[in-house]
Amino acid sequence: KKGTVHDVDFFDLYLHYKGKKQEKVFFVNLGAMDGILFDELHGYSSMYNFKGLYIEPIPYLFEKLKQNIDSNNLFENCAVSDYNGEIEMIMIDQNAIDEGKVHNCFYGMSAVYPPQNGLGSEGDRETVEKYGKKITVPCKTFDTIADQYKIEDVQLLKIDAEGHDYQIFNTIDLKKYNIDCIRLEYINLTKKEQENIRAKLDSNNYFYSIVHQDIVA
């Protein structure tokens, strides 16, 4: 029966299954940071030589991403939302991180402004007020990016957009891209957004589970 399955990490099961069968997996890693740190996909892609499209909006992280990841992959320096144009984001100043003025958990922590992730919390308010930096970055829809790179099939979709995950996920036609496996950050979303995500997964016949801070399907 479709719907919620407790304590099952479909992300891990799917990638090991495909990798051990030596089957190709094309993924979209949306919110890829530098491609390594805090990224659940890196170990699998390295082990099984999976290829895909890495999307990261923050310029300095995007440069590190291109240095860290095999150039046989695709790379796009933009945010993803439900429109094309520009979008305002907030991040912690790179120098403050590099100089150790803030905890390294802020490395790569950015969000569409106003933030729904930790950058919008009371606990991080002082750090954000002191070291927060607003930037404007290019913004594209998922369909626009897929057309740009002529992507038709996506076996794995990973979204880590720090509270903007629902706005992105809501625009993606899961059947159009034949998406087998999905992982997206769940913890920063409103209850209504979480309900809508589960309803969309139900209507597309996915099994899904809540694993740590994410929903995996």
Side-chain angles (χ1 to χ4, degrees):
K1 184 178 182 295
K2 67 186 178 183
T4 305
V5 178
H6 296 288
D7 301 321
V8 178
D9 190 344
F10 293 108
F11 185 83
D12 178 76
L13 291 174
Y14 177 78
L15 288 171
H16 278 312
Y17 175 80
K18 288 290 190 178
K20 289 174 181 177
K21 292 186 70 177
Q22 297 184 325
E23 294 184 3
K24 291 183 178 180
V25 169
F26 181 85
F27 60 81
V28 172
N29 188 351
L30 202 161
M33 283 185 48
D34 67 5
I36 295 178
L37 196 61
F38 306 133
D39 190 281
E40 304 92 342
L41 182 57
H42 178 66
Y44 302 96
S45 59
S46 298
M47 183 184 303
Y48 297 122
N49 198 33
F50 297 142
K51 300 292 187 243
L53 169 63
Y54 291 83
I55 305 173
E56 171 55 44
I58 306 302
Y60 88 92
L61 288 173
F62 183 73
E63 292 307 314
K64 291 186 177 184
L65 172 65
K66 290 194 296 181
Q67 294 170 14
N68 290 338
I69 301 299
D70 185 342
S71 61
N72 289 322
N73 290 275
L74 302 173
F75 302 91
E76 179 67 21
N77 185 200
C78 75
V80 181
S81 192
D82 51 7
Y83 66 93
N84 294 306
E86 293 183 329
I87 198 165
E88 188 175 38
M89 299 189 67
I90 187 167
M91 56 179 283
I92 299 300
D93 185 73
Q94 179 187 354
N95 291 330
I97 298 169
D98 291 343
E99 294 169 8
K101 294 178 180 178
V102 298
H103 193 280
N104 64 5
C105 69
F106 288 101
Y107 174 73
M109 187 187 289
S110 60
V112 168
Y113 191 84
Q116 284 186 238
N117 68 341
L119 296 180
S121 70
E122 183 60 29
D124 289 338
R125 181 176 59 81
E126 184 176 346
T127 299
V128 172
E129 287 179 353
K130 192 170 184 179
Y131 299 110
K133 180 181 178 182
K134 290 182 186 178
I135 62 171
T136 300
V137 301
C139 177
K140 298 179 182 180
T141 66
F142 187 88
D143 283 343
T144 295
I145 296 171
D147 289 344
Q148 178 181 335
Y149 291 98
K150 297 180 171 57
I151 295 170
E152 296 180 351
D153 292 314
V154 177
Q155 282 75 52
L156 175 75
L157 173 64
K158 176 179 169 289
I159 305 176
D160 186 354
E162 299 291 347
H164 203 64
D165 310 71
Y166 173 71
Q167 283 83 352
I168 298 167
F169 182 71
N170 193 43
T171 69
I172 300 174
D173 186 334
L174 304 180
K175 290 187 174 70
K176 176 181 178 181
Y177 297 104
N178 301 311
I179 301 174
D180 290 332
C181 185
I182 300 162
R183 184 186 188 110
L184 63 86
E185 195 171 57
Y186 194 69
I187 191 171
N188 292 315
L189 307 181
T190 67
K191 287 186 178 180
K192 183 60 177 177
E193 289 172 338
Q194 292 176 347
E195 289 173 3
N196 290 344
I197 286 170
R198 295 196 304 271
K200 182 171 180 175
L201 292 172
D202 281 335
S203 67
N204 283 274
N205 298 312
Y206 282 86
F207 295 94
Y208 51 87
S209 178
I210 311 302
V211 178
H212 306 301
Q213 299 184 346
D214 301 323
I215 187 166
V216 294

